[in-house]
Amino acid sequence: MTGPPPLTGIRVLEFAGLAPGPFAGLLLADNGASVLRIDRAVPDLTHSTNSSDLPPPTNDLLTRHKSSIAVDLKSPSGVDFIKSLLPHTDVVIDPFRPGILEKLGLGPDVLLGINPRIILGRMTGFRRDGRYKDMAGHDINYIAVSGALALLGRKGEKPIAPGNILGDFAGGGAVLFQGILLALMAREKSGRGQVVEANMVDGASYLATFPRMMLKTLMWDQPRGENVLDTGCPWYDTYETKDGKYMSVGALEPQFFAELLKGLGLSGIGIEKSRNDRETWPELKATFERIFKGKTRSEWEKVFDKTDACCTPVLEYGELETDHDREGDQRPAVTLRETPSLAVSEGSSSRDPSIGQGPGIEGGSYCGTALYAGEGGEETLNSWLGWKRGKDFEVENGGLVKKVGSKL
C-alpha cells in the first residue's frame, strides 16, 4: 500500500510568471504540494460572481494541480492580503527580475519577518551579482553567457539553441525546485526558512560540468562538432533513413560498435581496428549516411531492436502521443515506490501507482491546460484555512483583500 505524494501538506504561493518559475511550481504540485498562483487582478472580471464573464487564460500551460487567486499587488490592501497568507505558507516562488519583489514591499526581510519558516525561491536569468544583472534576456542569452550554447552545433556551423529546454527548464525551474527541496530539508533540522536563489546561467553551466571538464581531454578538445559526443564522431550521431526519418547511433564501446557494424553489414573489413583514427571519420560517416538511407526507419528498427548496437529510432512526440507501446505515456520523472508522485498520463486510479498516483490529468501531458486568474483559488483558501468570501475576504477591483474587521 502506498502513501500520499512526498510533498503533501506543503503550501506554495507562486507569483505568476512564465517558464522556469511555473515549472518549479509544477514539480512541487506533481509531488503533492498545494500550489496557489497569484495572478494580476482585472476589475469587474477576476473573481466576478458572473460566471459568464471569465478573464482570459494566461499563456502559462504549466498549471496542472494548481489553482489561482487574483490580487492587485500595486494596492496596499492587495499586498496586505498576501501578507495575511504568509504565516500559513511554506514556499513562495518569485519569478520577477531582481528588485521587483522588494518594490512591492514583499522582499525577503518582510517575508521572513512575518514567517521565519518560509522558503523564498527566487528565479532569475542572469546572476544577481553578475555583469548582465540589469539586462533583459531569454533562455538563449542565459545559456550563451554560461558557455553551454557554444558546445552545441555541427562542424562549421553556428551554435544551435536547444529550444528553451536547457535554460528555462533544466537549468532554471528544475534547479530552483532542487534548491527548494534542499531548503525544506534544512528547515527540518534548523526550524528556519531561508532564501533560495537560482539563475539560469549557473544552472546551465552546472549541467555542462562533464563536457566543460572534457574540454581539456582528447575526448572534447577539438572545435565544435569535431568531438566524440558533439556529432564529430560517426558512431555518435543521427542518420536520415529512406523515408526521411532518423535513427540515432551511440555505439561508443567496442563491443557495441561491433554490433552496429554487424547490423549495417560492415563487419570484417577492418573498420573495428581503424575507428579511433580521426582521419577515417569523414569517410566512415559518409558510408553510414549512404547505408542508413537504404532502408526506412521501421526497417532499421527491425534490424537493431533487441541488440546492443545502441541504435534506436528518433521518435517524435506526435507519434509517441498515440503509441504507448513506444513508452509514449508520460510519467513522473522519478519513481518513489512508497510515496509516488501524482500521475501525469490519464488512466485508471487502480493502476500501478509506481507510474503515478491518481487518474492523471486532461491531455496526458501532451496538451497543456490554461488556468484563468482566480480559478479554483477561493476553494484552495477554504481548504487551507477555512476562509470564505464575505466572512474573511472580499473582492476589490477584481482582487482579493481582507474583509474589514476580519482577524486574518
Side-chain angles (χ1 to χ4, degrees):
M1 183 172 178
T2 58
L7 297 182
T8 299
I10 296 296
R11 296 170 176 174
V12 181
L13 292 181
E14 175 193 304
F15 285 100
L18 288 175
F23 188 56
L26 181 74
L27 290 166
L28 292 166
D30 279 347
N31 288 286
S34 178
V35 180
L36 183 60
R37 193 178 73 188
I38 303 168
D39 282 296
R40 182 179 299 176
V42 182
D44 302 318
L45 203 55
T46 46
H47 293 288
S48 170
T49 56
N50 186 348
S51 60
S52 64
D53 293 334
L54 293 177
T58 68
N59 293 325
D60 176 20
L61 296 180
L62 304 175
T63 62
R64 60 180 179 244
H65 311 305
K66 298 181 185 179
S67 57
S68 164
I69 56 173
V71 179
D72 182 3
L73 295 177
K74 295 182 179 179
S75 162
S77 57
V79 172
D80 271 352
F81 185 76
I82 296 298
K83 289 180 178 178
S84 71
L85 292 173
L86 296 178
H88 315 286
T89 299
D90 295 288
V91 178
V92 172
I93 296 177
D94 167 20
F96 304 127
R97 288 177 68 175
I100 298 298
L101 203 62
E102 286 83 351
K103 288 181 180 179
L104 295 173
L106 294 168
D109 292 344
V110 175
L111 269 61
L112 288 164
I114 294 172
N115 180 359
R117 288 178 55 82
I118 210 163
I119 292 161
L120 173 58
R122 314 194 79 177
M123 183 79 254
T124 61
F126 297 118
R127 287 179 173 178
R128 288 179 175 270
D129 61 349
R131 65 177 296 175
Y132 308 106
K133 61 184 177 64
D134 297 321
M135 295 170 56
H138 280 293
D139 184 292
I140 192 170
N141 308 117
Y142 309 138
I143 67 173
V145 302
S146 78
L149 181 57
L151 299 173
L152 309 176
R154 291 189 175 275
K155 178 181 178 180
E157 297 183 8
K158 63 183 181 181
I160 299 174
N164 65 334
I165 299 171
L166 182 53
D168 281 343
F169 299 110
V175 169
L176 179 61
F177 171 67
Q178 172 185 276
I180 290 170
L181 294 184
L182 292 173
L184 286 169
M185 292 177 65
R187 192 178 70 176
E188 290 296 306
K189 300 175 182 178
S190 69
R192 299 189 304 274
Q194 60 180 298
V195 178
V196 177
E197 293 185 351
N199 71 78
M200 287 173 253
V201 173
D202 288 334
S205 185
Y206 198 89
L207 289 166
T209 295
F210 174 78
R212 185 175 63 251
M213 292 178 175
M214 288 293 102
L215 293 175
K216 299 185 185 300
T217 73
L218 293 176
M219 176 173 269
W220 215 312
D221 65 347
Q222 298 300 304
R224 180 174 58 250
E226 298 183 32
N227 300 283
V228 174
L229 299 180
D230 67 355
T231 75
C233 173
W235 55 90
Y236 201 90
D237 204 346
T238 58
Y239 292 93
E240 187 176 359
T241 57
K242 186 177 182 179
D243 52 349
K245 297 182 179 181
Y246 293 87
M247 294 292 289
S248 69
V249 173
L252 293 174
E253 290 80 3
Q255 67 272 26
F256 301 153
F257 185 67
E259 288 291 314
L260 175 68
L261 294 182
K262 178 181 177 181
L264 294 174
L266 294 172
S267 297
I269 58 176
I271 296 176
E272 296 93 331
K273 295 179 180 179
S274 64
R275 76 174 191 136
N276 289 322
D277 181 358
R278 289 175 180 259
E279 296 296 322
T280 69
W281 285 7
E283 182 179 353
L284 183 57
K285 181 168 286 194
T287 299
F288 284 3
E289 288 173 347
R290 174 180 53 80
I291 293 175
F292 272 109
K293 279 192 175 181
K295 289 183 171 66
T296 66
R297 194 187 72 182
S298 293
E299 290 173 327
W300 283 120
E301 288 184 72
K302 291 176 182 177
V303 171
F304 288 113
D305 273 1
K306 297 181 172 59
T307 75
D308 284 342
C310 300
C311 186
T312 56
V314 177
L315 301 176
E316 300 176 3
Y317 278 122
E319 56 189 319
L320 283 168
E321 183 177 2
T322 57
D323 189 353
H324 289 184
D325 288 338
R326 288 188 177 273
E327 303 178 5
D329 56 319
Q330 298 301 306
R331 299 181 179 183
V334 295
T335 296
L336 281 73
R337 289 287 173 180
E338 299 298 322
T339 57
S341 308
L342 295 174
V344 176
S345 295
E346 294 178 282
S348 169
S349 295
S350 62
R351 62 186 162 178
D352 181 356
S354 67
I355 62 174
Q357 298 191 58
I361 51 95
E362 182 181 350
S365 196
Y366 281 96
C367 298
T369 303
L371 188 70
Y372 66 80
E375 184 177 355
E378 294 187 43
E379 290 84 351
T380 298
L381 292 177
N382 184 256
S383 173
W384 280 15
L385 305 164
W387 291 359
K388 295 181 178 179
R389 187 194 294 204
K391 172 178 170 289
D392 303 290
F393 60 86
E394 53 193 1
V395 180
E396 182 180 285
N397 294 323
L400 300 188
V401 297
K402 293 191 294 183
K403 182 176 176 59
V404 176
S406 71
K407 298 180 180 181
L408 301 186

